[in-house]
Amino acid sequence: MTTDRLGWSGRFVALSGIVWREAIRFAQQRERFLSALVRPLVWLFIFAAGFRSVLGLSITPPYETYVLYEVYVTPGLCAMIQLFNGMQSSLSMVYDRETGAMRTLLVSPYPRWFVLSSKLIAGVAVSILQVYAFLLIAWFWDIRPPPIGYLALLPALILSGMMLGAIGLLLSSTIRQLENFAGVMNFVIFPMFFASSALYPLWRIQESSELLYDICWFNPFTYAVELIRFALYGQVNWMAAGVVIAITAAFLGAAIYAYDPSKGLVGRKRG
Amino acid sequence: MSGTADHDALRVESVSHAFGAVQALKNTSLTVKRGDFVALLGVNGAGKSTLFSLITRLYDNVSGSIEVCGHDVRREPGPALARMGVVFQSRSLDISLTIRQNLRYHAALHGIGRREAIERGDRVLERVGLLDKGESKVATLSGGQVRRAEIARALMHDPTLLLLDEATVGLDVRSRTDVVDTVRALVESGEVGVLWATHLFDEVRTTDPVILLHHGEVLAQGTAGEIAGDTTLSDRFLAMTGIDEREIAA
């Protein structure tokens, strides 16, 4: 009986259970949901409104006409929600490790890669809900992509969420204490967000600094933003999709390695 | 190799483990049979938690072998972990969830669906005397209740081996007695083998198989009565290790 449950049907049950637990925790943390919404809305309502008058945007794909700055910045804000959510999941992994709850997960009979991937999927599911809630509010602010964009956005959000979650997962394997998480804010979230195409088009950045342009070009977050931007208009940015998939594979692979007791970092450290 | 009912619940053979230059376990061997309550006795830092981490695959054992019901934890971690229930030294229930939600989550991590998890949940909660507390948030429970809830969780998937690491630490006398009695009742059913790590000598009965662990080394194995001889188990332990009595209480 016990061994029967180790097959794929059992794995599906395990995946559902991990997503269910994440959903319950998310539902209990109303402030988390609110802050996840308020953060991009502040950028949209205040920052973007102020920037509209000083930043001119030329017509660049996927846009076929001039767009308001609020429209331009919306995909970046969707990615920002996922970025924060990915780091929040990382924080929750570190917290679970400190409190011991992580052990429940790690002593599951399913392979470590499967358990960690399930955890990642659970986090992505939550982030997608947050993004759609944000887009619903943005719709009333006249940010109205074509209806097909809302549908095409889903796979893009899954991919970008997986990439950002995988980065968070790898970070969680290297952070030993919750207190060190402030460093993640300063050295990961802010640089990733600002040094990307989320707030300004890359050609604009190139005009002011070639070095900053190069940094933005190498920043994986830029590709998550562009993947979302094109998807919102029913298009696929294949280069962005390829980069996001490759980065996801690399970071998820590294995180699984780090959590593997026979190879990685976590099992070799005491505590 | 596939595990059968003929195999011991746990067999540890010549296992060593080091953290850098610190040797935490040295050539440790032990066996837990089904229906045994084996006490792993040692003061803090003896290597008990390290051994538990190796058995549960939180750490990798690079020397020797560990088998659970005949399944090597390195080569067949899935079947080995599926037959193992664990109560860790530090609390590991999700305090934001109710007991039943924690049980359901654990059941899912072992591939047990919702409906079956509900039935099993009632059964194990009754077994540990917490049936009326199922809907309580873990954060609202007493220390003893949390420990019994953790034991209930460890039993959800019908394990053959139950590992308990300092399960009574921080509990008052009555709660300690409740927890020990709960585990002993499980052992009497004959289906489960228990490895009970503790530094509290009064939790061990004369007939219990005992392993004395100190500085990562097994000092003695046998029943508590055999090891103690004509003195008490704690006095024998103090004489063998040369440590102060106060270190045991710490």
PDB file of all heavy atoms in Angstrom, chain A residues 225-252:
ATOM      1  N   VAL A 225       9.622  40.806 -17.884  1.00  0.00           N
ATOM      2  CA  VAL A 225       8.780  41.977 -18.172  1.00  0.00           C
ATOM      3  C   VAL A 225       8.350  41.971 -19.647  1.00  0.00           C
ATOM      4  O   VAL A 225       7.171  42.169 -19.969  1.00  0.00           O
ATOM      5  CB  VAL A 225       9.533  43.285 -17.835  1.00  0.00           C
ATOM      6  CG1 VAL A 225       8.740  44.494 -18.320  1.00  0.00           C
ATOM      7  CG2 VAL A 225       9.806  43.386 -16.340  1.00  0.00           C
ATOM      8  N   GLU A 226       9.313  41.727 -20.523  1.00  0.00           N
ATOM      9  CA  GLU A 226       8.996  41.767 -21.960  1.00  0.00           C
ATOM     10  C   GLU A 226       8.064  40.621 -22.368  1.00  0.00           C
ATOM     11  O   GLU A 226       7.206  40.784 -23.227  1.00  0.00           O
ATOM     12  CB  GLU A 226      10.281  41.745 -22.790  1.00  0.00           C
ATOM     13  CG  GLU A 226      11.120  43.005 -22.632  1.00  0.00           C
ATOM     14  CD  GLU A 226      10.298  44.290 -22.802  1.00  0.00           C
ATOM     15  OE1 GLU A 226       9.591  44.427 -23.819  1.00  0.00           O
ATOM     16  OE2 GLU A 226      10.353  45.153 -21.896  1.00  0.00           O
ATOM     17  N   LEU A 227       8.265  39.458 -21.726  1.00  0.00           N
ATOM     18  CA  LEU A 227       7.379  38.322 -22.004  1.00  0.00           C
ATOM     19  C   LEU A 227       5.938  38.694 -21.634  1.00  0.00           C
ATOM     20  O   LEU A 227       4.996  38.444 -22.400  1.00  0.00           O
ATOM     21  CB  LEU A 227       7.839  37.110 -21.177  1.00  0.00           C
ATOM     22  CG  LEU A 227       7.116  35.793 -21.435  1.00  0.00           C
ATOM     23  CD1 LEU A 227       7.359  35.297 -22.856  1.00  0.00           C
ATOM     24  CD2 LEU A 227       7.571  34.730 -20.429  1.00  0.00           C
ATOM     25  N   ILE A 228       5.792  39.330 -20.489  1.00  0.00           N
ATOM     26  CA  ILE A 228       4.456  39.732 -20.022  1.00  0.00           C
ATOM     27  C   ILE A 228       3.900  40.843 -20.918  1.00  0.00           C
ATOM     28  O   ILE A 228       2.733  40.838 -21.302  1.00  0.00           O
ATOM     29  CB  ILE A 228       4.529  40.191 -18.541  1.00  0.00           C
ATOM     30  CG1 ILE A 228       4.827  38.992 -17.643  1.00  0.00           C
ATOM     31  CG2 ILE A 228       3.250  40.893 -18.106  1.00  0.00           C
ATOM     32  CD1 ILE A 228       5.170  39.346 -16.208  1.00  0.00           C
ATOM     33  N   ARG A 229       4.758  41.791 -21.279  1.00  0.00           N
ATOM     34  CA  ARG A 229       4.323  42.938 -22.097  1.00  0.00           C
ATOM     35  C   ARG A 229       3.734  42.451 -23.435  1.00  0.00           C
ATOM     36  O   ARG A 229       2.652  42.865 -23.838  1.00  0.00           O
ATOM     37  CB  ARG A 229       5.518  43.873 -22.362  1.00  0.00           C
ATOM     38  CG  ARG A 229       5.126  45.202 -23.005  1.00  0.00           C
ATOM     39  CD  ARG A 229       6.339  46.048 -23.397  1.00  0.00           C
ATOM     40  NE  ARG A 229       7.304  46.229 -22.331  1.00  0.00           N
ATOM     41  CZ  ARG A 229       7.148  47.064 -21.291  1.00  0.00           C
ATOM     42  NH1 ARG A 229       6.050  47.768 -21.186  1.00  0.00           N
ATOM     43  NH2 ARG A 229       8.083  47.170 -20.367  1.00  0.00           N
ATOM     44  N   PHE A 230       4.461  41.568 -24.095  1.00  0.00           N
ATOM     45  CA  PHE A 230       3.983  41.074 -25.390  1.00  0.00           C
ATOM     46  C   PHE A 230       2.727  40.220 -25.219  1.00  0.00           C
ATOM     47  O   PHE A 230       1.786  40.308 -26.015  1.00  0.00           O
ATOM     48  CB  PHE A 230       5.093  40.270 -26.097  1.00  0.00           C
ATOM     49  CG  PHE A 230       6.061  41.144 -26.844  1.00  0.00           C
ATOM     50  CD1 PHE A 230       6.999  41.910 -26.165  1.00  0.00           C
ATOM     51  CD2 PHE A 230       6.028  41.234 -28.232  1.00  0.00           C
ATOM     52  CE1 PHE A 230       7.892  42.736 -26.835  1.00  0.00           C
ATOM     53  CE2 PHE A 230       6.912  42.056 -28.928  1.00  0.00           C
ATOM     54  CZ  PHE A 230       7.847  42.818 -28.226  1.00  0.00           C
ATOM     55  N   ALA A 231       2.716  39.389 -24.160  1.00  0.00           N
ATOM     56  CA  ALA A 231       1.566  38.505 -23.938  1.00  0.00           C
ATOM     57  C   ALA A 231       0.288  39.320 -23.710  1.00  0.00           C
ATOM     58  O   ALA A 231      -0.788  38.935 -24.167  1.00  0.00           O
ATOM     59  CB  ALA A 231       1.825  37.593 -22.750  1.00  0.00           C
ATOM     60  N   LEU A 232       0.433  40.447 -23.024  1.00  0.00           N
ATOM     61  CA  LEU A 232      -0.738  41.288 -22.754  1.00  0.00           C
ATOM     62  C   LEU A 232      -1.379  41.799 -24.042  1.00  0.00           C
ATOM     63  O   LEU A 232      -2.536  42.214 -24.052  1.00  0.00           O
ATOM     64  CB  LEU A 232      -0.326  42.480 -21.881  1.00  0.00           C
ATOM     65  CG  LEU A 232      -0.615  42.372 -20.383  1.00  0.00           C
ATOM     66  CD1 LEU A 232      -0.080  43.582 -19.653  1.00  0.00           C
ATOM     67  CD2 LEU A 232      -2.103  42.197 -20.103  1.00  0.00           C
ATOM     68  N   TYR A 233      -0.619  41.780 -25.118  1.00  0.00           N
ATOM     69  CA  TYR A 233      -1.168  42.210 -26.414  1.00  0.00           C
ATOM     70  C   TYR A 233      -1.292  41.027 -27.374  1.00  0.00           C
ATOM     71  O   TYR A 233      -1.270  41.188 -28.597  1.00  0.00           O
ATOM     72  CB  TYR A 233      -0.313  43.351 -26.992  1.00  0.00           C
ATOM     73  CG  TYR A 233      -0.542  44.596 -26.163  1.00  0.00           C
ATOM     74  CD1 TYR A 233       0.216  44.800 -25.018  1.00  0.00           C
ATOM     75  CD2 TYR A 233      -1.561  45.487 -26.466  1.00  0.00           C
ATOM     76  CE1 TYR A 233      -0.029  45.887 -24.187  1.00  0.00           C
ATOM     77  CE2 TYR A 233      -1.817  46.573 -25.646  1.00  0.00           C
ATOM     78  CZ  TYR A 233      -1.050  46.770 -24.514  1.00  0.00           C
ATOM     79  OH  TYR A 233      -1.323  47.832 -23.689  1.00  0.00           O
ATOM     80  N   GLY A 234      -1.388  39.835 -26.787  1.00  0.00           N
ATOM     81  CA  GLY A 234      -1.631  38.628 -27.578  1.00  0.00           C
ATOM     82  C   GLY A 234      -0.464  38.213 -28.442  1.00  0.00           C
ATOM     83  O   GLY A 234      -0.636  37.502 -29.433  1.00  0.00           O
ATOM     84  N   GLN A 235       0.731  38.657 -28.104  1.00  0.00           N
ATOM     85  CA  GLN A 235       1.911  38.304 -28.900  1.00  0.00           C
ATOM     86  C   GLN A 235       2.912  37.525 -28.045  1.00  0.00           C
ATOM     87  O   GLN A 235       2.850  37.558 -26.817  1.00  0.00           O
ATOM     88  CB  GLN A 235       2.583  39.577 -29.428  1.00  0.00           C
ATOM     89  CG  GLN A 235       1.693  40.394 -30.343  1.00  0.00           C
ATOM     90  CD  GLN A 235       2.353  41.698 -30.748  1.00  0.00           C
ATOM     91  OE1 GLN A 235       3.561  41.761 -30.963  1.00  0.00           O
ATOM     92  NE2 GLN A 235       1.554  42.748 -30.838  1.00  0.00           N
ATOM     93  N   VAL A 236       3.838  36.875 -28.761  1.00  0.00           N
ATOM     94  CA  VAL A 236       4.872  36.124 -28.041  1.00  0.00           C
ATOM     95  C   VAL A 236       6.236  36.730 -28.360  1.00  0.00           C
ATOM     96  O   VAL A 236       6.591  36.883 -29.537  1.00  0.00           O
ATOM     97  CB  VAL A 236       4.883  34.632 -28.456  1.00  0.00           C
ATOM     98  CG1 VAL A 236       5.948  33.882 -27.663  1.00  0.00           C
ATOM     99  CG2 VAL A 236       3.524  34.007 -28.236  1.00  0.00           C
ATOM    100  N   ASN A 237       6.959  37.093 -27.357  1.00  0.00           N
ATOM    101  CA  ASN A 237       8.349  37.510 -27.529  1.00  0.00           C
ATOM    102  C   ASN A 237       9.199  36.264 -27.309  1.00  0.00           C
ATOM    103  O   ASN A 237       9.468  35.867 -26.165  1.00  0.00           O
ATOM    104  CB  ASN A 237       8.690  38.607 -26.510  1.00  0.00           C
ATOM    105  CG  ASN A 237      10.101  39.146 -26.699  1.00  0.00           C
ATOM    106  OD1 ASN A 237      11.003  38.419 -27.096  1.00  0.00           O
ATOM    107  ND2 ASN A 237      10.267  40.427 -26.427  1.00  0.00           N
ATOM    108  N   TRP A 238       9.561  35.625 -28.426  1.00  0.00           N
ATOM    109  CA  TRP A 238      10.209  34.314 -28.324  1.00  0.00           C
ATOM    110  C   TRP A 238      11.552  34.388 -27.631  1.00  0.00           C
ATOM    111  O   TRP A 238      11.940  33.469 -26.893  1.00  0.00           O
ATOM    112  CB  TRP A 238      10.371  33.686 -29.712  1.00  0.00           C
ATOM    113  CG  TRP A 238       9.046  33.281 -30.283  1.00  0.00           C
ATOM    114  CD1 TRP A 238       8.366  33.896 -31.283  1.00  0.00           C
ATOM    115  CD2 TRP A 238       8.214  32.194 -29.854  1.00  0.00           C
ATOM    116  NE1 TRP A 238       7.159  33.269 -31.521  1.00  0.00           N
ATOM    117  CE2 TRP A 238       7.045  32.214 -30.650  1.00  0.00           C
ATOM    118  CE3 TRP A 238       8.344  31.208 -28.882  1.00  0.00           C
ATOM    119  CZ2 TRP A 238       6.024  31.289 -30.501  1.00  0.00           C
ATOM    120  CZ3 TRP A 238       7.329  30.289 -28.726  1.00  0.00           C
ATOM    121  CH2 TRP A 238       6.183  30.328 -29.525  1.00  0.00           C
ATOM    122  N   MET A 239      12.264  35.475 -27.872  1.00  0.00           N
ATOM    123  CA  MET A 239      13.570  35.592 -27.212  1.00  0.00           C
ATOM    124  C   MET A 239      13.394  35.659 -25.694  1.00  0.00           C
ATOM    125  O   MET A 239      14.076  34.976 -24.925  1.00  0.00           O
ATOM    126  CB  MET A 239      14.307  36.843 -27.694  1.00  0.00           C
ATOM    127  CG  MET A 239      15.699  36.930 -27.124  1.00  0.00           C
ATOM    128  SD  MET A 239      16.464  38.498 -27.546  1.00  0.00           S
ATOM    129  CE  MET A 239      17.929  38.433 -26.547  1.00  0.00           C
ATOM    130  N   ALA A 240      12.414  36.481 -25.277  1.00  0.00           N
ATOM    131  CA  ALA A 240      12.161  36.601 -23.835  1.00  0.00           C
ATOM    132  C   ALA A 240      11.727  35.256 -23.262  1.00  0.00           C
ATOM    133  O   ALA A 240      12.182  34.843 -22.182  1.00  0.00           O
ATOM    134  CB  ALA A 240      11.091  37.661 -23.583  1.00  0.00           C
ATOM    135  N   ALA A 241      10.857  34.547 -23.991  1.00  0.00           N
ATOM    136  CA  ALA A 241      10.388  33.238 -23.513  1.00  0.00           C
ATOM    137  C   ALA A 241      11.560  32.270 -23.363  1.00  0.00           C
ATOM    138  O   ALA A 241      11.667  31.552 -22.362  1.00  0.00           O
ATOM    139  CB  ALA A 241       9.353  32.672 -24.486  1.00  0.00           C
ATOM    140  N   GLY A 242      12.447  32.266 -24.369  1.00  0.00           N
ATOM    141  CA  GLY A 242      13.610  31.366 -24.325  1.00  0.00           C
ATOM    142  C   GLY A 242      14.509  31.675 -23.139  1.00  0.00           C
ATOM    143  O   GLY A 242      14.948  30.761 -22.417  1.00  0.00           O
ATOM    144  N   VAL A 243      14.765  32.969 -22.933  1.00  0.00           N
ATOM    145  CA  VAL A 243      15.647  33.353 -21.814  1.00  0.00           C
ATOM    146  C   VAL A 243      14.990  32.969 -20.478  1.00  0.00           C
ATOM    147  O   VAL A 243      15.647  32.416 -19.589  1.00  0.00           O
ATOM    148  CB  VAL A 243      15.954  34.875 -21.850  1.00  0.00           C
ATOM    149  CG1 VAL A 243      16.672  35.313 -20.589  1.00  0.00           C
ATOM    150  CG2 VAL A 243      16.792  35.207 -23.079  1.00  0.00           C
ATOM    151  N   VAL A 244      13.713  33.245 -20.349  1.00  0.00           N
ATOM    152  CA  VAL A 244      13.017  32.947 -19.083  1.00  0.00           C
ATOM    153  C   VAL A 244      13.036  31.444 -18.800  1.00  0.00           C
ATOM    154  O   VAL A 244      13.311  31.012 -17.673  1.00  0.00           O
ATOM    155  CB  VAL A 244      11.559  33.483 -19.134  1.00  0.00           C
ATOM    156  CG1 VAL A 244      10.714  32.914 -17.999  1.00  0.00           C
ATOM    157  CG2 VAL A 244      11.565  35.009 -19.061  1.00  0.00           C
ATOM    158  N   ILE A 245      12.790  30.640 -19.840  1.00  0.00           N
ATOM    159  CA  ILE A 245      12.816  29.178 -19.639  1.00  0.00           C
ATOM    160  C   ILE A 245      14.220  28.716 -19.242  1.00  0.00           C
ATOM    161  O   ILE A 245      14.393  27.913 -18.315  1.00  0.00           O
ATOM    162  CB  ILE A 245      12.335  28.449 -20.921  1.00  0.00           C
ATOM    163  CG1 ILE A 245      10.829  28.683 -21.107  1.00  0.00           C
ATOM    164  CG2 ILE A 245      12.628  26.955 -20.846  1.00  0.00           C
ATOM    165  CD1 ILE A 245      10.295  28.246 -22.465  1.00  0.00           C
ATOM    166  N   ALA A 246      15.229  29.258 -19.934  1.00  0.00           N
ATOM    167  CA  ALA A 246      16.609  28.841 -19.652  1.00  0.00           C
ATOM    168  C   ALA A 246      17.016  29.238 -18.227  1.00  0.00           C
ATOM    169  O   ALA A 246      17.615  28.441 -17.492  1.00  0.00           O
ATOM    170  CB  ALA A 246      17.563  29.468 -20.674  1.00  0.00           C
ATOM    171  N   ILE A 247      16.662  30.460 -17.840  1.00  0.00           N
ATOM    172  CA  ILE A 247      17.035  30.928 -16.495  1.00  0.00           C
ATOM    173  C   ILE A 247      16.285  30.108 -15.436  1.00  0.00           C
ATOM    174  O   ILE A 247      16.839  29.748 -14.394  1.00  0.00           O
ATOM    175  CB  ILE A 247      16.711  32.435 -16.319  1.00  0.00           C
ATOM    176  CG1 ILE A 247      17.514  33.275 -17.309  1.00  0.00           C
ATOM    177  CG2 ILE A 247      16.943  32.897 -14.891  1.00  0.00           C
ATOM    178  CD1 ILE A 247      18.962  33.475 -16.967  1.00  0.00           C
ATOM    179  N   THR A 248      15.015  29.803 -15.712  1.00  0.00           N
ATOM    180  CA  THR A 248      14.242  28.971 -14.771  1.00  0.00           C
ATOM    181  C   THR A 248      14.930  27.632 -14.572  1.00  0.00           C
ATOM    182  O   THR A 248      15.125  27.183 -13.430  1.00  0.00           O
ATOM    183  CB  THR A 248      12.815  28.720 -15.309  1.00  0.00           C
ATOM    184  OG1 THR A 248      12.192  29.974 -15.536  1.00  0.00           O
ATOM    185  CG2 THR A 248      11.977  27.919 -14.315  1.00  0.00           C
ATOM    186  N   ALA A 249      15.307  26.999 -15.695  1.00  0.00           N
ATOM    187  CA  ALA A 249      15.945  25.685 -15.603  1.00  0.00           C
ATOM    188  C   ALA A 249      17.246  25.777 -14.805  1.00  0.00           C
ATOM    189  O   ALA A 249      17.524  24.930 -13.947  1.00  0.00           O
ATOM    190  CB  ALA A 249      16.208  25.145 -17.005  1.00  0.00           C
ATOM    191  N   ALA A 250      18.025  26.824 -15.072  1.00  0.00           N
ATOM    192  CA  ALA A 250      19.324  26.964 -14.398  1.00  0.00           C
ATOM    193  C   ALA A 250      19.146  27.176 -12.888  1.00  0.00           C
ATOM    194  O   ALA A 250      19.786  26.505 -12.077  1.00  0.00           O
ATOM    195  CB  ALA A 250      20.096  28.138 -15.015  1.00  0.00           C
ATOM    196  N   PHE A 251      18.249  28.089 -12.520  1.00  0.00           N
ATOM    197  CA  PHE A 251      18.091  28.398 -11.089  1.00  0.00           C
ATOM    198  C   PHE A 251      17.369  27.278 -10.340  1.00  0.00           C
ATOM    199  O   PHE A 251      17.722  26.971  -9.202  1.00  0.00           O
ATOM    200  CB  PHE A 251      17.360  29.733 -10.902  1.00  0.00           C
ATOM    201  CG  PHE A 251      18.281  30.916 -11.018  1.00  0.00           C
ATOM    202  CD1 PHE A 251      18.579  31.483 -12.241  1.00  0.00           C
ATOM    203  CD2 PHE A 251      18.891  31.449  -9.884  1.00  0.00           C
ATOM    204  CE1 PHE A 251      19.449  32.552 -12.356  1.00  0.00           C
ATOM    205  CE2 PHE A 251      19.766  32.522  -9.980  1.00  0.00           C
ATOM    206  CZ  PHE A 251      20.049  33.081 -11.229  1.00  0.00           C
ATOM    207  N   LEU A 252      16.392  26.677 -10.983  1.00  0.00           N
ATOM    208  CA  LEU A 252      15.686  25.572 -10.316  1.00  0.00           C
ATOM    209  C   LEU A 252      16.643  24.392 -10.133  1.00  0.00           C
ATOM    210  O   LEU A 252      16.678  23.765  -9.063  1.00  0.00           O
ATOM    211  CB  LEU A 252      14.458  25.151 -11.131  1.00  0.00           C
ATOM    212  CG  LEU A 252      13.579  24.065 -10.507  1.00  0.00           C
ATOM    213  CD1 LEU A 252      13.093  24.466  -9.118  1.00  0.00           C
ATOM    214  CD2 LEU A 252      12.382  23.758 -11.396  1.00  0.00           C
TER     215      LEU A 252
END
